[in-house]
Amino acid sequence: MEITVDDPTTLRVLSVASEMFPLVKTGGLADVTGALPAALAPQGVQVQTLLPGYPAVLQALPQAERIAVWPDYFGGSARLLQGRLDGLDILALDAPHLYARDGNPYLGPDGRDWPDNGERFAALSLAAARIGWGDTPVPAPQVVHAHDWQAALSAAYLHYLSHDRPRPRTVLTVHNLAFQGRFDRRLFGLLGLPAQAYTSEGLEYHGDVGFLKAGLLLADAITTVSPSYADEIRTPHGGMGLDGILRWRAEAVSGIVNGIDTEVWNPATDAHLARCYSAATVADRIHNRRAVESHFGLPPDDNSLLLCVISRLTDQKGIDLVIDALDQLVHAGALLVVLGSGDRAFESQLKAAALHHPAKVGVQIGYDEPLSHLMQGGCDAILVPSRFEPCGLTQLCGLRYGCVPIVARVGGLADTVIDANDAALRAGVATGLQLTSVSHEGLMAAVRKAVHLHAEGAPWQRLQQAGMTGDVGWSVSAARYAALYRQLLAA
Ligand code: ADP
């Protein structure tokens, strides 16, 4: 889809998401929904964000005003609250029977999906539709922008239940096609949608209910978070069963690459660093390196290539490749520090590797925002060997921090990192290294090349400088979202 229009009048958008930084975050989705409102403001777009009223959200909004009460809402009573936090305009769906649970937004303490996730996120989506119709004191938005399967039914409610009322335009952004929100068909009866919604043109998906599938069919526009991923998901290989629908809707699909919040991720002011620095004072990164080494119990070392991984520890992220290559990485002269959590087997294999190579490998299992900043500020390179990657954010943070990304040539990784091939190195435009294949050989070849460039010194510094002086912020992509919204309204 070509996005062209630009019109300066203010536009109201309701962003609907299951997470938003700094309130609740399990991954890149939260970074995007947290950063976009401020990035869109200069484009004349006012964003309100609708979130589930998880405990962390309600605690952060003690002054929130109750603006609607829905006594019988998916098995309990619900309130819509409106509040502000750090310049963000937030609507929270306070429904204790659905959201008053500590911990992860999607998983119970046993690590499994909450059994009522279907109801929990249908409720979020219906609230978005009610706001969209102007049924609450909030002025009706012109666009409802739903993020991922958790918000995808917004498009379905607005499609099937608007009747003669005007409805906002709908945008669905796919942050990761692997998560589709598929539920047993018995859920359908609880959704409050008419029977005709349960067909192959609507929610029915191989005899089940498909939230993302319905959103992909019914949203006015579909975006995903990089142009390459927009291409990949229309192929059988990358489409995860939904490629047929995405090809059918090809006219409505576009890729808009994510940025990062360059205030939160700014090495010149970052309070999580041992020493702040800029492109002009890159040598000061050594103080952060010392802090990283000391945190992970590695001896001080000025020369070896210090690699990091900051990631969910899953098959998607190619963590098995890192584990399999560990001995060879170390023999090739690299050191490795890992921060992440996920697959229990990967966690224990990584911990075992750290015990096996105590002076070369450090591992911390868990989620640690401050440590992730320090690692970006002190390590030489960040490894991202994903099998697929819709956009990826850690490589963007790496570019900004002079932590050179070594990435798989897929999705947003391919779109945001310029490989250090001979021509790009000569031209001074290379910003990182791309694996020629997501395999043991591909990973080791890239790491050996990185060790070599790093030891040479000057080429490595050019990679760092090109990355640090490039644009990884939101301004260009926010303008594209704004143009898309205006194009939908003009249509
Ligand atoms: P995904 O959303 O698929 O997990 P992204 O690269 O798009 O991957 O975004 C991941 C975000 O979460 C980044 O901001 C990254 O820094 C952060 N992150 C991932 N794992 C951890 C961790 N263990 N501790 C701190 N931050 C993490």
Side-chain angles (χ1 to χ4, degrees):
M1 180 179 195
E2 278 298 306
I3 301 166
T4 45
V5 191
D6 203 359
D7 175 332
T9 49
T10 298
L11 199 149
R12 282 186 315 282
V13 172
L14 179 70
S15 168
V16 191
S18 56
E19 42 183 286
M20 178 170 71
F21 184 83
L23 290 173
V24 46
K25 167 169 164 174
T26 71
L29 166 64
D31 292 313
V32 175
T33 56
L36 256 183
L40 281 165
Q43 304 290 332
V45 178
Q46 271 176 13
V47 181
Q48 278 190 313
T49 305
L50 173 66
L51 294 169
Y54 310 120
V57 172
L58 301 183
Q59 278 154 26
L61 302 172
Q63 315 285 355
E65 191 191 342
R66 190 171 66 185
I67 57 167
V69 179
W70 297 322
D72 182 14
Y73 197 72
F74 288 88
S77 92
R79 287 150 297 281
L80 188 64
L81 309 179
Q82 182 171 18
R84 288 190 74 78
L85 180 82
D86 297 345
L88 296 163
D89 189 350
I90 297 167
L91 297 168
L93 179 60
D94 177 20
H97 59 295
L98 301 173
Y99 307 125
R101 305 168 195 182
D102 285 323
N104 186 292
Y106 316 116
L107 310 175
D110 58 358
R112 290 161 178 259
D113 289 350
W114 292 113
D116 57 348
N117 272 351
E119 291 94 314
R120 295 174 76 225
F121 294 107
L124 180 74
S125 298
L126 178 58
R130 289 185 175 177
I131 297 163
W133 290 312
D135 288 354
T136 76
V138 176
Q142 292 150 291
V143 175
V144 169
H145 186 161
H147 295 273
D148 274 349
W149 72 264
Q150 292 89 348
L153 280 198
S154 315
Y157 283 114
L158 286 164
H159 177 83
Y160 289 110
L161 297 180
S162 291
H163 307 298
D164 295 334
R165 291 180 283 185
R167 72 160 177 88
R169 302 290 95 195
T170 51
V171 177
L172 173 61
T173 294
V174 179
H175 296 262
N176 191 335
L177 199 66
F179 303 111
Q180 302 187 352
R182 184 167 167 175
F183 301 96
D184 188 278
R185 66 172 297 166
R186 277 172 300 186
L187 176 66
F188 184 76
L190 305 176
L191 299 178
L193 284 164
Q196 87 258 23
Y198 194 72
T199 65
S200 59
E201 280 94 58
L203 275 72
E204 189 274 330
Y205 188 49
H206 299 301
D208 291 333
V209 170
F211 280 28
L212 188 69
K213 178 263 180 180
L216 292 176
L217 279 174
L218 300 171
D220 297 314
I222 300 161
T223 71
T224 186
V225 288
S226 68
S228 288
Y229 193 60
D231 291 340
E232 290 166 12
I233 59 178
R234 280 176 273 174
T235 66
H237 179 67
M240 306 216 166
L242 293 169
D243 49 296
I245 291 174
L246 285 159
R247 281 195 297 280
W248 190 62
R249 297 231 48 211
E251 289 291 300
V253 178
S254 59
I256 303 179
V257 79
N258 286 337
I260 54 172
D261 186 327
T262 49
E263 301 282 314
V264 174
W265 290 97
N266 183 355
T269 56
D270 190 332
H272 302 310
L273 297 182
R275 177 74 61 91
C276 291
Y277 62 93
S278 66
T281 57
V282 156
D284 282 346
R285 297 179 90 257
I286 189 71
H287 300 284
N288 299 315
R289 180 179 179 130
R290 284 291 101 82
V292 170
E293 289 163 345
S294 133
H295 181 90
F296 284 96
L298 305 184
D301 174 341
D302 291 346
N303 301 318
S304 308
L305 179 78
L306 175 57
L307 299 168
C308 68
V309 170
I310 303 167
S311 181
R312 291 186 288 117
L313 302 176
T314 64
D315 197 56
Q316 176 200 335
K317 301 289 182 177
I319 299 303
D320 51 318
L321 293 174
V322 177
I323 293 169
D324 288 348
L326 243 154
D327 290 342
Q328 277 163 288
L329 284 179
V330 166
H331 285 132
L335 311 169
L336 176 69
V337 288
V338 179
L339 168 63
S341 61
D343 189 307
R344 299 282 180 268
F346 292 160
E347 290 181 357
S348 48
Q349 286 163 349
L350 283 165
K351 282 192 282 195
L355 288 175
H356 191 64
H357 299 285
K360 309 262 181 193
V361 177
V363 172
Q364 179 169 320
I365 301 302
Y367 192 90
D368 189 333
E369 191 82 24
L371 179 60
S372 73
H373 286 241
L374 181 65
M375 290 165 74
Q376 295 276 14
C379 296
D380 295 310
I382 181 159
L383 260 185
V384 196
S386 307
R387 293 197 161 81
F388 68 93
E389 193 59 76
C391 180
L393 295 175
T394 56
Q395 85 281 10
L396 300 179
C397 303
L399 291 170
R400 178 130 169 101
Y401 277 59
C403 183
V404 173
I406 303 177
V407 303
R409 190 175 289 163
V410 296
L413 300 172
D415 291 347
T416 56
V417 175
I418 301 175
D419 181 50
N421 56 47
D422 291 346
L425 274 175
R426 267 199 307 279
V429 296
T431 57
L433 288 88
Q434 293 184 354
L435 277 54
T436 47
S437 67
V438 183
S439 63
H440 180 78
E441 295 69 32
L443 179 66
M444 281 315 301
V447 169
R448 287 204 182 89
K449 183 167 177 180
V451 168
H452 173 72
L453 294 173
H454 180 255
E456 274 192 73
W460 194 260
Q461 286 152 19
R462 283 201 293 277
L463 291 180
Q464 286 182 307
Q465 290 295 324
M468 290 186 77
T469 51
D471 180 10
V472 289
W474 268 109
S475 53
V476 173
S477 294
R480 297 202 70 212
Y481 278 113
L484 172 65
Y485 300 148
R486 294 205 158 90
Q487 188 168 326
L488 287 175
L489 290 172

